[in-house]
Amino acid sequence: MRWTEIYSKSKSDSGFSLVETLIATFIFAIISAMAVALISNYQTSRLGLQSADERLAQLQTARAVMRDDFFSVVNRPVRDQFGAMLSAFEGGQHMGDGIKLRLVRGGDAGAKLNGTVSQVKRIDYMLIDGNLTRRTYVRPDTVPGGRYTDQRLLEGVEAAELRYASDGIWSDEWGTNAAISPVPRLAELSLRFLGGQEMRMTFVVGAPT
């Protein structure tokens, strides 16, 4: 066998050169980085879709609860803890303690069945620590130590504003002017969330007569 053949065979059996190894490693690193990016994007998209689905479900639930409350409004004034009379429906900037709206509603089927709790309920809608909260009092008239339950309807709310309409005239305040109807015909809720998203919902107040 010739020396050139032995040299050629020895060279071909010597494996990859350093340059070839570096190139292969570089290519593998690029492919790995692309794979990690794809997986990360997939996870981010999946979590984003899950969060969007949860927010949509939360919005649908909140809208259904509020629609039922507004539709069931009754003109039944209530008393505060000092015995003073309060309007059955009141909202606006003049309300304190984070309260955006106070209303009185009827039609509580559960209360009608058990007969131990008033069918008429006082509901306060409040903005507490970025949460739109529905506070339900056991009795419509406020008494010292009166019990209530809080239901968190929407999270991450930066601002919540309401306005009300009667006879086609809209107002940001309700319940302070005795000259107008005690209960509006429409209520509009505008929400701004922490992420900058905005939403507006309109409700009919009280069952048509």
Side-chain angles (χ1 to χ4, degrees), residues 160-182:
E161 301 298 336
L162 283 136
R163 65 175 189 153
Y164 317 93
S166 181
D167 298 326
I169 300 175
W170 288 91
S171 175
D172 294 331
E173 301 285 331
W174 198 272
T176 59
N177 188 348
I180 59 178
S181 172

Side-chain angles (χ1 to χ4, degrees), residues 54-63 66 125-134 151-160 189-193 199 201 203:
E54 291 174 353
R55 172 53 61 89
L56 179 59
Q58 194 178 63
L59 285 169
Q60 290 174 336
T61 300
R63 183 178 179 84
M66 297 185 71
Y125 279 93
M126 316 173 71
L127 190 60
I128 304 175
D129 297 329
N131 300 308
L132 182 63
T133 302
R134 178 182 185 264
Q151 178 185 5
R152 185 185 300 173
L153 292 179
L154 292 172
E155 301 174 349
V157 179
E158 185 176 15
L189 172 64
S190 297
L191 297 168
R192 186 173 70 251
F193 296 95
M199 186 175 186
M201 295 182 282
F203 304 95

Side-chain angles (χ1 to χ4, degrees), residues 19-173:
V19 174
E20 291 172 332
T21 302
L22 290 175
I23 293 174
T25 303
F26 179 70
I27 294 173
F28 177 76
I30 292 176
I31 294 174
S32 298
M34 293 174 62
V36 170
L38 286 173
I39 294 173
S40 178
N41 288 337
Y42 168 76
Q43 287 290 98
T44 301
S45 299
R46 186 176 65 83
L47 292 175
L49 288 173
Q50 181 180 352
S51 177
D53 288 342
E54 291 174 353
R55 172 53 61 89
L56 179 59
Q58 194 178 63
L59 285 169
Q60 290 174 336
T61 300
R63 183 178 179 84
V65 169
M66 297 185 71
R67 182 176 60 226
D68 186 54
D69 280 344
F70 281 111
F71 192 77
S72 302
V73 165
V74 293
N75 183 19
R76 194 277 201 188
V78 296
R79 294 185 181 275
D80 64 13
Q81 64 269 31
F82 305 108
M85 295 299 297
L86 302 175
S87 301
F89 193 102
E90 185 175 358
Q93 295 296 329
H94 67 280
M95 307 286 283
D97 299 325
I99 300 175
K100 295 296 181 178
L101 171 68
R102 181 185 65 247
L103 60 85
V104 179
R105 61 155 295 169
D108 190 325
K112 185 175 182 180
L113 288 174
N114 63 43
T116 60
V117 182
S118 174
Q119 296 179 50
V120 178
K121 292 186 180 297
R122 170 187 164 186
I123 309 291
D124 287 354
Y125 279 93
M126 316 173 71
L127 190 60
I128 304 175
D129 297 329
N131 300 308
L132 182 63
T133 302
R134 178 182 185 264
R135 176 167 292 179
T136 306
Y137 291 85
V138 174
R139 300 288 179 183
D141 295 315
T142 305
V143 295
R147 293 182 295 121
Y148 61 82
T149 57
D150 282 350
Q151 178 185 5
R152 185 185 300 173
L153 292 179
L154 292 172
E155 301 174 349
V157 179
E158 185 176 15
E161 301 298 336
L162 283 136
R163 65 175 189 153
Y164 317 93
S166 181
D167 298 326
I169 300 175
W170 288 91
S171 175
D172 294 331
E173 301 285 331

